[in-house]
Amino acid sequence: MIGAVVLPEDVEIIPLAKLPASIRAQIGADGHEYAVTRPRSRVPSKVIDGQAAELLRQFKKPTTLVEAILRFSKTVGREPTQILEEVYPFLESCLMAKLLVEPGAASEAIRASFDRGDLIANWQVQECIQALSDTELYRVRGGNLEAALKIARTGSGRQVKQSLEREAAILSRLNGRVAPRIIFSGELDDGRTYFVMEWIAGDLCGEAAAAMRAAADEPLPAPLLALCSKILDAYATLHDLGVIHSDVHPNNLLVMRGEEVRIIDLGLSRADTGDLELAPPRAGVGFFFEPEYAKAVLAGAMPPLSSRAGDQYSVAALVYSFLSGRHYLDFSYGKEEMLHQIAEQPTIPLTARGLRCAGALDEVLSRALSKDLSARFPDMHAMADAFRDTVNGLHRPAPGAEDSSASDATAMPHDEFGKAEDWLESILESLSDPDMGLPIVGIRYPTASLTYGAAGIAYGLFRIACVREDAGLCALAERWLDRAAREIGSDAGFYQADVGITPETVGRISPYHLPAGVACVQALIAHSFGDWYGRSRAVERFLQFSERECESLDLTVGRSGTLLALSTLVDAFGWDKAAEQERLVDAGNKLFADLWRQLDAMPSIPDEGRAANLAMAHGWAGYLYATLRWSRSAQISPPSGCQARLAQLAEKAQWLGSRAFWPSQAGSGSSGAGGWCSGSAGFVFLWTLAHRLWPDPQWLSLAKAAGHDAFHARDEGLSLCCGLTGKAYSQLNLFKHTGDRNWLDNAHTLAKLAVRTAENAKTTAEPRIPFSLYKGDLGLAVMVAELEHPECSALPFLEDEAWPTRRR
């Protein structure tokens, strides 16, 4: 008999309306469904409908299945007996997946068991690298030796114990060749199995490959091809040593500073000895499964043992993704559909991914990606040799060709910058008619807001006009702004339920999403034209729109965003004696005090667990950034607790060599994205501003470390919000703050990649909003224009925009 069960406290039920339309299309879901996921669990996410989501919510507190069904039946107005038949299979699957568990330890959030400074068998914990539902990985120190320690979680069971013992045995067999060297293995007094292996300082190969693609002028850069060759050699050596990895994906490979490749996480690996005791269950990342596995699962048969030929297929899929930045198939995210694609669909040629010179490499990868395992290369050595011979052919100079090795190595050559300028001109030409219908590809978005619509277009054109001193563009910006103002009062201008932009998600005061942003842009443009009457009326409207009730502290949807907009207006007006300036300062000081009464009442950031959002858009980085901006603009001292909060946030940094990132949620070990909204780029702006106010070297060190992480390329699209454009602005911020031109070179590199991404996007049917300031091409257009005068650049509606100041 099943007793009371409960949703684990870290299970998330997420409306799919919040996901990009392109992801929803791949999942095969509409905006009315939900994803159920448990971070750090090995259980795949489920997509469920609204009624199933409501049923799961009945288990927020411990309850029996019968009690939950009775309550749910009242909610939907149906007989409990009818509902029981329909929902029991679903509830049973949730029990099997441990999405419903008995109250107690099993229902607690998955967190690291050990803190910094704790001892695990005489090894001192430095940091938690990964905490999953069954195992944990720590960076530890014993004397002068730095190492990695992998340990079973309490209560993880016999299967995990066997897995760790098998992985330790395989590492011993490899003895430091192509994998970490094992140092010690054993068992704690409480029975938990662990082993210690050498610590390898390096970058994830997927991130290294993305950085190489970003920095290169040619489509197949030599360093990237060399990295892929080394990966193939590493797997050839692994197979020579009698080990099949069985878990190929980008996060299981490290590239060391000497460009040497190491294979990590051999928990699913097996020794190729025929000994079934050493054969683990099949698992891994779906994009890299081999066809013979997919066919067996689709047929309901026992999956085959991992094999050398299967590893070859997976490694070919990996190399393809490193070369192109895309998978070898346009995968659906539905499990069954994906398996059918792996079993049946032919590989999309690299040439179809825009790599026109890759025809010869297509032949190599297509053979390794054959659905017929007998048609693949006889072994990894043969594949590595074929790949290397083909690469040598690609790089062999044509007869009579001049040596170009001494060419200028600037990040954005003149011809590349010319292409970016041509692209910018095409964007400006496309925006020449403010009465046009806003072009979209895919689902609709708000048409008037600063983030998505006409107000953002107006502001972007205004910023470009300022760089170019172009009166015609200023006039065009005003016309777009008039269009946005005409839509105030229309829900479609600012809300779109289909994409989850509703009063419940973005509130009623956000300058980024709502009429307050239109009024703010009106005030700025009126001020720049010397239209004092227009400025006064716009400020009045801004203050009225900003007085609406709002409980959120967020920068993008809450009161910190209002404070930041007030700061921008005060900076722009430069302590003008006009009455609206004093009203802005009074409103800002009142809001500032209210915010800090609430912030001071919050617990210490490290104590807030997963409930504490750390990032710029929705968390502590944003609260503190708005605080510092207002302190500077209003010429008042930051609150007494501000530096303590900055120090608490600094403690949450996760370090990878010279790089630092902050997980979006406290207690998470994941770096997430690199953009300004939830990733490292946002922290750059916070720490450089802190360093301006308090010239303490630690703030500058953190800014640079965050900048290195933001530049460490991930394939995140081109957007200002969470992609390449926002990351490029973080590099420009560091250039302005330090004067170091390496940061400027980084910005040029990211801009070049973003323009290339924008051009490629025109040929796809993926949903996008080309003229959105934050989510489309327009933010990139502003940044390309500002690269002509990088010392005057500023991420729109975030940074101090360097208006001429006349301080009181």
Side-chain angles (χ1 to χ4, degrees), residues 39 64 73 169 276 300 468 496-497 557 694 705 759:
T64 65
S73 67
L276 293 182
R468 295 185 165 188
Q496 272 292 345
V557 302
W694 301 288
E759 287 289 349

Side-chain angles (χ1 to χ4, degrees), residues 112-238:
S113 304
F114 299 93
D115 295 324
R116 182 182 175 87
D118 288 348
L119 289 178
I120 308 176
N122 296 321
W123 293 86
Q124 187 178 56
V125 172
Q126 304 298 299
E127 65 175 319
C128 178
I129 305 300
Q130 186 181 61
L132 296 174
S133 57
D134 52 3
T135 59
E136 299 174 21
L137 181 68
Y138 294 90
R139 180 170 63 87
V140 296
R141 181 174 292 279
N144 293 323
L145 180 63
E146 196 169 44
L149 186 149
K150 192 170 186 178
I151 186 169
R153 285 179 70 88
T154 301
S156 54
R158 180 168 178 75
Q159 189 173 354
V160 174
K161 173 182 173 65
Q162 290 175 336
S163 173
L164 290 176
E165 289 173 346
R166 181 178 57 250
E167 185 172 3
I170 286 173
L171 289 172
S172 295
R173 170 182 286 212
L174 296 177
N175 195 26
R177 296 188 65 187
V178 303
R181 179 176 56 85
I182 192 163
I183 298 170
F184 185 78
S185 63
E187 208 173 85
L188 297 185
D189 291 341
D190 61 8
R192 279 188 285 173
T193 302
Y194 73 95
F195 63 81
V196 183
M197 56 189 162
E198 69 174 315
W199 176 259
I200 295 179
D203 295 325
L204 294 173
C205 272
E207 294 186 355
M212 292 170 183
R213 288 196 305 274
D217 297 325
E218 67 274 18
L220 289 172
L224 178 58
L225 292 168
L227 174 63
C228 291
S229 282
K230 289 175 181 176
I231 290 169
L232 296 175
D233 288 339
Y235 275 97
T237 301
L238 185 73

Side-chain angles (χ1 to χ4, degrees), residues 116 120 169 208 214 259 311 460 519 558 574 594-595 627 780-781:
R116 182 182 175 87
I120 308 176
E259 304 303 316
D311 257 10
D594 287 345
L595 282 171
T627 294
L780 173 58

Side-chain angles (χ1 to χ4, degrees), residues 274-350:
D275 184 351
L276 293 182
E277 280 298 308
L278 291 180
R282 293 302 307 271
V285 175
F287 302 124
F288 303 98
F289 284 145
E290 71 273 24
E292 45 272 28
Y293 171 88
K295 291 174 183 175
V297 173
L298 288 169
M302 178 72 72
L305 291 175
S306 58
S307 66
R308 295 170 183 238
D311 257 10
Q312 182 186 140
Y313 187 97
S314 302
V315 174
L318 183 81
V319 167
Y320 182 107
S321 71
F322 286 175
L323 294 176
S324 67
R326 306 274 297 275
H327 290 299
Y328 70 101
L329 296 171
D330 290 332
F331 283 112
S332 165
Y333 285 176
K335 179 181 177 181
E336 187 169 343
E337 293 84 353
M338 177 185 284
L339 291 173
H340 275 293
Q341 288 177 295
I342 294 169
E344 300 160 8
Q345 285 189 7
T347 299
I348 297 171
L350 287 168

